[in-house]
Structure formats: C-alpha cells, structure tokens
Amino acid sequence: MSETHGTPFRRMMESLAPEAGGLAIDLPADWLQGRTAYGGLTGALCVEAAGRLHPDLPPLRDAHFALAGPASGRLVVQANVVRQGRSAVVIEASVTGDAGPAARALLTYGAGRDSRVLQMGAAPPAVPGPEACSAFFDADRKPGFAHHFDVRLAGGARPMTPGAEPRIAVWIRHGDGETPAGLPALVALADAVPSPALVLFPEFAPFSTMTWSLNLTSAAPASASGWWLLDSVIDAAHGGYASQDMSLWNDAGELVARARQMVAVFI
C-alpha cells in the first residue's frame, strides 16, 4: 500500500453520528479538496447513510448525484425512502453543510431475479498492470484527499497535454490497509481522479463536477487485490461544460460500473 496521511476511510465513516433524523460528520481536513469534499466522497456519504438508516436494502443498481454546492463544515446527511416495491427501493438522500444544500441523490436498489437475458459487460482496455505504471498525481498538484489513494496512470494522457485524446485510464486503490469492502468505499474511489477535460487545458484552471450518474453492473463489486481500473473519456466539451463517459473494472477484468458525468470548466 502507498503512504497515507491522516484519517483512514473506515474511521471517517465510523465517525458519522445520528443527528436531525440523519447522520452528521465533521469531515477531517485531510479528506477535503480545497475547502470542500470532492464529489466521490459526497456520494459515498449518501450511500453510507442510506445503508445505515435503512438496513437490509437489496443491491444498489443506480445512483444519480447532483452536486449543488460546497460540502463544507459540519455535514448532515439524510436518506428517505421515496418508494418501496416488491423488488426495488428508491431512496432520496441529501447532504447539507454550513453553506446550505451541498448535494441531492436518488439511489435505486433492486433485488436480483431469474432472467434469460444475459449480456456480459465490455472488456477492459489493454493496459499494463498497476505495478508497471507510474504514479498519476504530481507531488506539487496532488489534492489533499488524493493522499488516501494509490493512483497509477495506465493509459490516455496526463492533465495539461493539449492535442492528446481527452482520456485518462488509471489503476486505483485505497491507500490504507483497513479500508472496508463495500459500496461507500467504491463510490469514494470511483470519483477520485480529475476529469479528462484537464487533458485539454493549456494550464491549470478550476473545474467542478455538477452531476454524476453511476450505473452498477455488478450486485456485489469486489477486487481481490484492491486494484480497480478506471477509464474516463470526454465525448463533448463546449460553452464551459464537458461531458464524460466512465467505466470501472475490477482486477479480474469484470465490468462493475458505468458512469456519466457533467463537469464545469473555468477556462
């Protein structure tokens, strides 16, 4: 595992405590991106709260996150059932911080059923293994929360390489040895790499995720080694916004999630 700093992911999630009909947390400073939580952590808090407040949910199948504002200060996370059917449950989750509403999420859970429809997910791109890849983050441009992850560039290009294809493929894993298995840890990891829109930037400039839609293609995603392959590519960018497509595989080459993301770019 890579060297990590500060509060382990498990300990941070365990610090969520009941408050105002939901759960509350004072995020450790080492998990912030500047002065706010990054999108993947905000999503992970929503998924964690849903699981804690509504035990015995079926597997998560789909999640939509709208990141409305900065998730800063003391955060209160609430999760309420919109509808519960025979096999599916829809939950609306929210994150509110000192600056007001930070995020809204719709989480759809569904029990498995017998089906004659079978289509395996797309194969991962042909890339070297993680041990053959170099570190993705430059030491002088590494966000605070990124110290908790081990990220290796597997394909595509680095940020600020105009002219290259706007694509980033990385091997990524949590950097501490006590991170629990489960969806909150996976959601936090799946948005821990900057948008491939940064490949097109001539110099560093701010960017911000606005919406993120995560479609789980596995009922119980798992990676034996802890490594996951994340491939993201920009399919359109204009008017200050970029749209990207993302895919996540485990270390056995099994597709576990597909995602779409809208990112605001300030350049």
Side-chain angles (χ1 to χ4, degrees), residues 144-194:
F145 74 86
H147 289 281
H148 292 280
F149 297 96
D150 189 353
V151 188
R152 314 283 180 88
L153 182 64
R158 293 185 181 276
M160 292 169 287
T161 54
E165 179 189 8
R167 171 177 170 255
I168 295 174
V170 299
W171 286 104
I172 182 170
R173 64 179 174 180
H174 282 268
D176 65 77
E178 56 179 281
T179 299
L183 283 175
L186 182 64
V187 172
L189 175 147
D191 187 43
V193 177

Side-chain angles (χ1 to χ4, degrees), residues 40-107:
L41 179 54
T42 304
L45 292 172
C46 292
V47 174
E48 178 74 12
R52 290 249 211 117
L53 298 172
H54 306 282
D56 302 320
L57 288 168
L60 181 65
R61 303 293 178 174
D62 187 71
H64 295 268
F65 304 101
L67 304 173
S72 58
R74 185 166 182 81
L75 302 181
V76 176
V77 191
Q78 296 178 312
N80 301 304
V81 174
V82 176
R83 184 180 185 277
Q84 182 161 3
R86 286 182 295 178
S87 61
V89 183
V90 178
I91 288 180
E92 182 179 32
S94 65
V95 180
T96 304
D98 290 346
R104 294 290 186 271
L106 277 178
L107 310 174

